[in-house]
Every structure is written in C-alpha cells, then in structure tokens.
C-alpha cells in the first residue's frame, strides 16, 4: 500500500506544488484561507479548468488544440443569439452543438488531411475568432434571461453553480478516461499510434471523438463566462487556450502522449488559480502574473523530463546484508 501511495504521489507532483503555494500564501495573507476567498479561487478556475479537461484528452493523444478559446467565444455568441429568439433549452443545445461541430472539424482536419494538429487548430482558431467578430460586428451581445444567468451567478448549497458544473464535468469525463474502453483506447493511441492501429483500435475515430469532447467542454465553459458577465463577449476566450495547456502540463500530462489524468489537470488549474489569487491579494503587479505562470510551467516540465536525474541526486540508504548462520561461522 505504501509503494502504491508513493507512485500516486509521484504522478501527481502538482499536488505538492499546490500545497507549497497554498502554505506560502496562507502565511503571507490571512485572507487566503477564508472560505469566501477559496470559493472565489474555485469560481475563477472553473472556466480554464473545463477547457483544460478537454485539452487533456487531446494532449494524451500527443496532439494539441489551440482553438478552444475561439470555440468558447463562437459557441457563446451562437448561444446568446439563439437565446434571445428561441429560449433557454434550444440555446443550450445550439451552444453544445456548435462546440461539438468545431471539435469535429478539428478532428477531421487532423485525421483525414493528415495536418499537424498545431497547424490545423491554429487555423481554425483564426477562422472562428474572425467569424465571431463578423457575426457580432465586434459588439457584445446582452443576455437578460434570468435562468441562463443562474448558470454563472447562482449558488447551490452555498457553492457557486460554475464550481458544481466543473466538478460534475471532471467526474464524468474523468470516469470515461480512466474506467471505460474509450479511455483505454485514448491512452493506447497516445502511447503508440501504430501499435494501437495494428491491435484493431480505430485511431482516427478516437482522435476525432477527443477533439469533439474538447469542443463540447469549451462550449460549456462559454456558458459559464457568458452567464457571469450577462453578455456574450466576442473576445471572451482569447488567450484562454494558453491557460488550459498550462494547467494540463502542470498537472503531469505528457506532451509526448500516453500519460495523464484529469485529476492532475484539475490540480494544475487550481495551481494557476491560486497563484493568480495570491498575487492579487499581495497586490503584485498583474504584469508579473504571466512571468510567474511561465516559471511554474518551466518547473513542471523540468520535473517531468528530469525525474530520473533528480532520483539519482537523492542519496539512497543502502541496506546491510543479512547474515546467514553459515556466513556467520566463516566470519
């Protein structure tokens, strides 16, 4: 049991990073550990965490999705436009369908045209960002539906609804990744795509579905940010793809594919959220927040790529040989 716990702790190095940052901030600011502030951290983290959850599926496959920010903004605008005409349920369905369609486009580009995912999603990021600005003429779309606003502003059992949405989404998609056949296919394809294909796995279908999941979770994040602001901002998702990728990397998912967990991604998103919150509490210049994020990412990647080197640097206690009766007689 002890060795198993050590293995889990080693895979979730982000947990130790989160604990370290939390201890430092709790000493530096008495406000940090208050329930109100901790809920604010979880609320502020919810959008980036949802984007990172979908990104985890894609990165485990040794791919990347740069379009999640644009997918968030485009699906949010489609949701807001549908909401004003057809009501809540059709608007939610339209938003989710939009996110899924964007993911499908990305998946088809990567699998059928054999484009590198970096190039394909970079292109769709630009396309959907431009379409969003074209549909809105660069102006935000107001949202006045009370029920929709509750997605981002209401509370349940004292906890903001976006936090519940984040936890439920991580629970569902974490189970899919860890406990289902599709999840095993994702790991197998990311670890060795050719071996997965030879073993009968439809790797193209797995990759397409992973991009669709990424798009759906981006649209879900769009619901939250639109409901919180009561407007659909055309540029709402700009730059969030970088936070999502950072959370995935900090959470221990390998960019080479085949390894990663949604629990680690959630912890990675919380690390970034805690750092942002702590620097605001300490009145640190907001321009330095990106510097700190960059350093944290470098540290996470360094630990991931150099774990064997670090183990060699730590001296190990050698066990004395056990003396058998025969050996004792010779001595």
């Amino acid at each position: 049991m002890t060795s198993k716990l050590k293995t889990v702790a080693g895979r979730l190095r982000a947990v130790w990073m989160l604990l370290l940052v939390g201890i430092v901030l709790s000493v530096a600011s008495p406000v940090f550990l208050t329930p109100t502030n901790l809920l604010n951290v979880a609320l502020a983290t919810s959008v980036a965490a949802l984007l990172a959850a979908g990104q985890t599926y894609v990165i485990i496959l040794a791919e990347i999705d740069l379009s999640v920010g644009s997918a968030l903004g485009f699906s949010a605008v489609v949701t807001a436009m549908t909401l004003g005409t057809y009501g809540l349920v059709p608007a939610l369905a339209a938003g989710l369908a939009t996110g899924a369609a964007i993911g499908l486009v990305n998946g088809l580009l990567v699998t059928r045209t054999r484009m590198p995912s970096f190039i394909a999603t970079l292109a769709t990021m630009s396309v959907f960002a431009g379409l969003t600005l074209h549909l809105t003429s660069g102006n935000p779309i107001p949202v006045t539906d009370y029920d929709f606003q509750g997605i981002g502003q209401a509370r349940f059992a004292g906890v903001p609804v976006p936090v519940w949405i984040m936890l439920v989404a991580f629970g569902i998609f974490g189970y899919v990744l860890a406990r289902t056949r599709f999840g095993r296919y994702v790991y197998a394809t990311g670890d060795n795509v050719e071996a997965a294909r030879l073993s009968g796995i439809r790797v193209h279908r797995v990759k397409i579905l992973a991009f669709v999941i990424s798009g759906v979770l981006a649209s879900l994040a769009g619901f939250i940010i639109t409901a919180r602001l009561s407007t659909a901002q055309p540029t709402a998702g700009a730059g969030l793809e970088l936070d999502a990728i950072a959370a995935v990397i900090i959470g221990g998912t390998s960019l080479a594919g085949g390894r990663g967990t949604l629990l680690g991604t959630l912890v990675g998103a919380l690390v970034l959220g805690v750092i942002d919150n702590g620097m605001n509490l300490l009145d640190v210049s907001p321009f330095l927040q990106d510097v700190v994020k960059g350093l944290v990412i470098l540290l996470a990647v360094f630990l991931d790529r150099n774990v064997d080197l670090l183990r060699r640097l730590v001296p190990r206690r050698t066990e004395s040989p056990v003396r058998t009766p025969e050996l004792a007689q010779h001595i």
Side-chain angles (χ1 to χ4, degrees):
M1 178 63 71
T2 303
S3 60
K4 185 176 181 180
L5 290 176
K6 287 181 178 179
T7 301
V8 173
R11 291 179 179 177
L12 295 179
R13 287 184 291 272
V15 173
W16 306 113
M17 193 179 299
L18 179 62
L19 289 175
L20 177 61
V21 174
I23 291 172
V24 171
L25 291 177
S26 63
V27 173
S29 173
V31 181
F32 176 73
L33 286 180
T34 59
T36 300
N37 185 65
L38 293 179
L39 285 177
N40 287 336
V41 171
L43 178 60
T45 303
S46 59
V47 171
L50 287 172
L51 294 178
Q55 193 76 250
T56 302
Y57 275 81
V58 176
I59 292 181
I60 289 176
L61 288 168
E63 306 288 356
I64 198 164
D65 187 358
L66 297 178
S67 69
V68 289
S70 296
L72 182 154
F74 188 69
S75 62
V77 166
V78 171
T79 301
M81 295 175 69
T82 308
L83 184 65
T85 306
Y86 299 101
L88 179 61
V89 175
L92 296 178
L96 292 174
T98 301
I102 294 174
L104 179 61
V105 170
N106 288 331
L108 290 174
L109 287 174
V110 171
T111 58
R112 300 305 179 185
T113 68
R114 298 183 180 181
M115 288 186 184
S117 56
F118 181 88
I119 300 299
T121 58
L122 181 64
T124 55
M125 176 182 71
S126 178
V127 168
F128 289 108
L131 286 175
T132 304
L133 292 172
H134 175 73
L135 287 175
T136 62
S137 298
N139 299 316
I141 301 176
V143 174
T144 58
D145 188 282
Y146 179 78
D147 293 330
F148 183 83
Q149 289 175 342
I151 295 174
Q153 301 176 18
R155 288 175 176 257
F156 177 74
V159 178
V161 169
V163 177
W164 287 113
I165 294 174
M166 175 184 69
L167 294 176
V168 170
F170 268 83
I172 293 173
F173 288 99
Y175 177 84
V176 170
L177 185 60
R179 300 294 181 182
T180 68
R181 181 181 298 178
F182 172 72
R184 293 192 293 272
Y185 288 173
V186 170
Y187 283 110
T189 303
D191 185 56
N192 190 322
V193 64
E194 189 60 31
R197 182 183 291 109
L198 293 175
S199 65
I201 297 175
R202 298 181 177 180
V203 295
H204 284 180
R205 180 177 295 183
V206 171
K207 289 188 176 185
I208 291 172
L209 199 51
F211 277 103
V212 169
I213 290 173
S214 181
V216 168
L217 288 174
S219 65
L220 191 59
F223 295 161
I224 292 175
I225 198 168
T226 301
R228 287 187 64 190
L229 299 175
S230 295
T231 57
Q233 298 284 346
T235 58
L240 289 180
E241 62 277 349
L242 301 180
D243 287 342
I245 295 171
V248 175
I249 294 172
I250 293 171
T253 299
S254 174
L255 289 172
R259 180 166 59 85
T261 64
L262 277 192
L263 178 58
T265 295
L266 178 59
V267 175
L270 288 174
V271 168
L272 294 177
V274 166
I275 289 174
D276 284 342
N277 177 262
M279 296 185 75
N280 289 332
L281 292 177
L282 298 176
D283 199 24
V284 177
S285 170
F287 301 110
L288 292 177
Q289 293 186 12
D290 289 336
V291 175
V292 175
K293 284 182 182 179
L295 293 176
V296 170
I297 294 170
L298 287 175
L299 176 61
V301 175
F302 174 79
L303 293 176
D304 179 64
R305 295 300 179 90
N306 297 277
V307 62
D308 294 333
L309 174 62
L310 295 176
R311 286 175 180 173
R312 288 196 295 268
L313 293 177
V314 178
R316 294 183 178 181
R317 185 178 61 182
T318 58
E319 298 181 357
S320 58
V322 179
R323 293 182 177 180
T324 62
E326 293 79 2
L327 180 61
Q329 292 176 0
H330 290 288
I331 296 176

